[in-house]
Amino acid sequence: MIHFDNLGKAWPDGTKALSDISLHIPRGQFCVILGPSGAGKSTLLRAVNGLMHPTQGQVRIDGTALTHATQKQLRRRIAMIHQHFNLTSRLSVAANVLSGLLPVVSTPRALTGWFRSEHRRKACGLLQRVGLAPTHLKRRAGDLSGGQQQRVGIARAFMLDPEVVLADEPVASLDPKISRDILTLIRDAAREHNTTVLCSLHQIDLAREFGDRIVGMRDGKIVFDGTPAEFTDERVSALYHGAHWEDPPKKAEPEAAGFELAHV
Amino acid sequence: MQKPIPVPAPGSQVHWHLDAPYSLRHLLIIAAILIVLILTGQRTEMDKMVMMTTEAAGKLLGVADDSQVVRGLSRVATSMWPPVLGETEEISRLPEFKRDQLPILSRIEVQERVEQRMNTETLQLEPHSESVEVLVKPVGYVVSVFIKMIETLEIALWGTIIAVILSAPLAYFAARNYSPNQASYTAARGFISLLRSAPELIVALFLVLAYGFGPIAGVLALGLHAAGFLGKFYAEDIENADKKPQEALEAIGAGKLKTLWYGVVPQVLPQYIAYTAYILDRNLRMATVIGLVGAGGIGQELKGRFDMFQYGHVMTILIAIFIFVFILDQLSARIRNKLI
Ligand SMILES: Nc1ncnc2c1ncn2[C@@H]1O[C@H](COP(=O)(O)OP(=O)(O)OP(=O)(O)O)[C@@H](O)[C@H]1O
Ligand SMILES: [Mg+2]
């Protein structure tokens, strides 16, 4: 589903945020990206929908390379859930969810807010699915609690039945209980639609609990790739506290290959 | 127990220190400012202003004998008071006058009029009295000022509407992060500067030549200038708006216009309303002035009366302007509170 081919990113100031990343995420997988701050997790996710353009290599979605020409079409199939929810805070919850449809709605409809009734029904259905009440529809998004805002963010992300969901630290600003609820919601909604999820996290326990697969990054390189069971405590401390990547912990090549074989 | 403030032990070395607050540089700056003030003050006759004002204050306190300022002001003040409320018109000069259909709040009076006439025999001027019928409207002038004021309000309103309509696309092209390319950005910014640099009164002067006397020139003059102002501020708000919602919409490929409409406009709406209310407020005040060059509204009336030395009428107009601006201030404050 998602192929990273020798992806590299060097910022103009010389920072190498990604170097030589090759990775394949099969369809329907919940892949968690872990790694210390500055490891390049956000940069990697943003390469998938072209919010960041790599300086080397490419990203392929279902075989189509992401370029300026294909980006517009590909972006419709890729939703994103953000750490800070990124809702339009002064707009109603309903309008925020409906804004997830903007790529496919005609400009006059978008400007007047006159969405088709099936679209409005879908928005209501998704809001119900993420656990919000009808009273929330007309509330300003900014007035909701963080957990509720992220639910709105999830509803917005699923409006276009995405094939890929990119979640960049979706629970970084939420309490542990709500974090678990939100991740459950993302995982279940993704399973219902056979959606591929690429999710960066800072919580090891949540990564083990929700990930089908864990990819550990450090200094722009992949230093771990395997199942949650293989992500042992030694590997955790190697990822976060271990020596610099030049002295890599055992890299889990076979599992990665296994995934490659399972889906092509 | 309060602990004593720790002080460096006597004899210990302190390696850093605080500079004295003023230095020679400050003195030089102050001297430079003084020189500029003295030079420009002389050229704008500030010394004379101070002298004349002191003289006026002295006259008011009974110390000085005479003051040009007080004389001038009191002459104007006495001729402006009382404000003119009514109107009288000679019935014989009203072409379509119907005696049984008097306009409301008016009555017919017979007035004695004394005129100096030439006696053809003695070739002397002799007083000659005559009675004429006049139509007296006790508040007639107030009503016509009111009507002019409404026209002024309409000019301000339409000037604002035109400004908003023009400035919306202008702001889009003048916002660095939305303008399609560098050329459109530079063009939009240039156009905005052009609009902003042209004062309403001077623009109106030219528009009166193009569209003739009346409100069209006024509306366009106000609208064009305000479009520059709004375009600049709308564009700056678009540039400074929170990037997060925009990124969310960009990420799914919503397109620029829709992203702007859903990710930016709701966020900056309170400021937009505040700017627009400010422009409406400013336009109302400008609309009263713009008539001075013939672009319609109360200003045109004011100019006419002023030129005919009818200061009583001028006073009525000034009071009307004050009342209107006051009411508008109250209203706009209330509307703003509701919307934000
Ligand atoms: N716009 C930019 N210009 C220059 N360097 C950048 C830019 N954005 C990110 N970087 C650098 O790229 C590297 C990777 O950043 P990235 O945001 O991907 O890290 P991250 O793993 O998401 O960290 P965190 O967990 O704190 O979110 C960092 O060294 C960062 O300083
Ligand atoms: Mg990040």
Side-chain angles (χ1 to χ4, degrees), chain A residues 179-245:
Chain A
S179 296
R180 189 159 267 113
D181 293 348
I182 292 288
L183 284 173
T184 309
L185 207 55
I186 296 176
R187 183 186 59 193
D188 294 353
R191 278 190 188 154
E192 288 158 27
H193 297 90
N194 197 25
T195 304
T196 312
V197 181
L198 209 54
C199 175
S200 73
L201 285 178
H202 272 307
Q203 299 91 330
I204 317 284
D205 52 330
L206 292 177
R208 282 180 173 145
E209 183 179 341
F210 288 92
D212 298 327
R213 174 189 187 179
I214 293 177
V215 170
M217 287 183 73
R218 199 184 161 93
D219 294 333
K221 301 216 163 193
I222 295 176
V223 294
F224 175 86
D225 186 356
T227 60
E230 291 161 344
F231 193 54
T232 57
D233 289 348
E234 296 93 78
R235 288 186 169 163
V236 171
S237 56
L239 177 60
Y240 286 95
H241 315 288
H244 216 245
W245 58 267

Side-chain angles (χ1 to χ4, degrees), chain A residues 37-38 40-43 46 83 168-169 200 202:
Chain A
S37 265
K41 304 181 295 295
S42 302
T43 312
R46 294 159 68 85
Q83 173 181 353
D168 192 4
E169 296 181 34
S200 73
H202 272 307

Side-chain angles (χ1 to χ4, degrees), chain A residues 75 88 90 102 105 110-111, chain B residues 247 250 258 261-262 266-267:
Chain A
R75 275 183 175 178
T88 306
R90 290 179 48 83
L102 286 178
V105 171
L111 295 189
Chain B
E247 189 185 281
E250 191 197 339
K258 294 180 207 167
W261 194 245
Y262 277 79
Q267 301 298 94

Side-chain angles (χ1 to χ4, degrees), chain B residues 44-65:
Chain B
T44 46
E45 301 188 58
M46 284 301 106
D47 43 353
K48 202 170 157 197
M49 181 273 288
V50 171
M51 233 178 61
M52 289 172 76
T53 311
T54 323
E55 205 179 56
K59 166 83 179 164
L60 289 182
L61 293 173
V63 190
D65 308 323

